[in-house]
Amino acid sequence: VYGRVFDENCTYKVVPYKGIERMLETLKKQGIRLAVLSNKPDRQVGHVIKEIFGEGLFDWIQGQKEGVPRKPDPSAALDIADRLGAEIAETAYIGDSEVDAATGKNAGLKTIGVLWGFRDRAELEAFKPKYIISHPDEIRSLFNETNENSPASAGEK
C-alpha cells in the first residue's frame, strides 16, 4: 500500500531548493552533462525529476533497479559516467549524505557535499568529501574556476 500511495503522491509539496534550477541550467548551458542517481525506485525517480524539472535537463536519470547494487556501491555511478562518455577524473558526484560521499569516493569521483539536504557540516565533514558547500551558487563557482583543484579545471565536466 505504501508503494502505491507514495507512487501516486511522490511529488506532493516537492520543490527544488532555492538556487537549484538556476545552477542546473547554468551548468547545462556550459555543456556539463548532468545525471541523477538515487536509491529510490527508478520509476519514481524518473517521475519526480520530469515533474519538477521537465524533460531534457538531465542527460541520465536512474533510481534503484533490480540487479544493480544500491549506493554506496560505485557500479551505477561508474556505469552512468561511462554512458555519458565522462572520464572519471572529470566527473563530480554531488550529494547531501554519507551514502553520496561514499558512492563518489568508491567510484573515484570528486565528491561535493551539500548542506541544503539533510546532513549538517559536521556529519558531512566526517565523510571527507573534497568540497562542502552551502548554496547551489558555490557549485557553479566550482565549475567556473580554472585552478587545478576545481572539478571543472582543464575542461573537466
Side-chain angles (χ1 to χ4, degrees):
V1 171
Y2 172 81
R4 180 183 53 76
V5 171
F6 182 75
D7 205 29
E8 293 169 1
N9 299 285
C10 60
T11 59
Y12 180 71
K13 292 192 174 190
V14 173
V15 295
Y17 289 104
K18 185 179 179 185
I20 292 290
E21 291 172 297
R22 185 178 68 195
M23 178 265 300
L24 291 170
E25 290 167 4
T26 299
L27 294 176
K28 187 72 170 182
K29 286 177 185 172
Q30 292 174 344
I32 295 173
R33 292 174 301 272
L34 305 172
V36 172
L37 175 60
S38 176
N39 276 343
K40 292 178 177 64
D42 187 60
R43 182 182 72 252
Q44 291 169 347
V45 171
H47 173 74
V48 169
I49 295 298
K50 288 175 184 168
E51 181 91 10
I52 303 302
F53 297 104
E55 304 250 0
L57 180 62
F58 291 95
D59 300 287
W60 192 264
I61 301 167
Q62 183 172 322
Q64 180 56 44
K65 295 180 178 185
E66 182 141 348
V68 178
R70 293 173 61 91
K71 300 183 305 182
D73 184 285
S75 302
L78 292 169
D79 180 60
I80 292 168
D82 184 57
R83 288 174 185 270
L84 297 179
E87 297 293 327
I88 297 306
E90 299 175 338
T91 303
Y93 193 98
I94 303 167
D96 66 354
S97 73
E98 67 278 5
V99 172
D100 294 318
T103 303
K105 284 182 166 192
N106 291 343
L109 308 174
K110 290 178 179 78
T111 55
I112 302 172
V114 301
L115 293 172
W116 57 82
F118 59 136
R119 298 290 186 264
D120 64 23
R121 180 172 292 279
E123 289 175 289
L124 284 178
E125 284 175 350
F127 299 100
K128 299 181 178 23
K130 184 163 179 77
Y131 303 96
I132 296 178
I133 61 173
S134 59
H135 191 275
D137 287 340
E138 293 174 77
I139 289 177
R140 292 179 23 228
S141 297
L142 286 175
F143 281 87
N144 286 328
E145 289 178 7
T146 57
N147 69 54
E148 63 188 48
N149 295 321
S150 165
S153 67
E156 294 179 26
K157 297 180 180 166

